[in-house]
Amino acid sequence: MRQSREHAETLGAQTAAQAVTAERLRIAREMHDTVAHSIGIVALQAGAARQLGGITDREREILTLVGRGLSNTEIAAELVISVATVKTYVTRLLSKLDARDRVQLVILAYETGLVTLPR
């Protein structure tokens, strides 16, 4: 009986701790989203979007999908184009935006507001 009561108390404490942790995580995510949104606005106001002036609508679409973390194969399936075509677009974006690699394209997609953090 005593063990059963202790076990119930332990489970209750664990449940309470998990609820507190979940609420803290929710608040942290909300704060993160708010800050990220503000940073995105500041980046746009600072002129980061001007860097995209020389790209086509399709390249912008590809950049958005790259920014969301999709692979070339996933982008090809999403847009119903070949993987080779996606690679060509990514290569053009790297050149036009003077980006060293795909990571820089992702950063640029966030900085320009094409991609925002999921809620």
Side-chain angles (χ1 to χ4, degrees), residues 17-119:
Q18 288 173 344
V20 168
T21 300
E23 181 62 11
R24 286 180 179 167
L25 181 59
R26 186 194 65 75
I27 291 168
R29 284 183 179 151
E30 190 174 316
M31 290 175 61
H32 183 268
D33 290 350
T34 300
V35 170
H37 178 73
S38 297
I39 289 170
I41 290 171
V42 169
L44 286 171
Q45 290 172 341
R50 283 184 292 212
Q51 295 178 17
L52 302 182
I55 67 172
T56 66
D57 289 341
R58 187 60 138 185
E59 289 167 339
R60 186 180 308 270
E61 192 174 10
I62 298 285
L63 180 58
T64 300
L65 296 172
V66 168
R68 290 184 184 153
L70 273 66
S71 68
N72 289 346
T73 303
E74 293 167 329
I75 293 169
E78 176 87 14
L79 300 178
V80 193
I81 59 177
S82 73
V83 174
T85 301
V86 174
K87 289 179 183 180
T88 299
Y89 278 118
V90 170
T91 300
R92 286 183 191 161
L93 285 166
L94 290 168
S95 177
K96 285 183 175 184
L97 301 174
D98 197 29
R100 179 177 55 243
D101 53 29
R102 197 175 184 103
V103 173
Q104 286 189 329
L105 291 178
V106 172
I107 292 168
L108 186 59
Y110 274 91
E111 286 179 345
T112 57
L114 288 177
V115 177
T116 58
L117 294 172
R119 292 193 173 246

Side-chain angles (χ1 to χ4, degrees), residues 1-15:
M1 180 92 138
R2 181 173 180 239
Q3 287 178 334
S4 177
R5 186 174 56 240
E6 288 175 0
H7 181 70
E9 288 173 2
T10 300
L11 285 177
Q14 287 175 343
T15 302

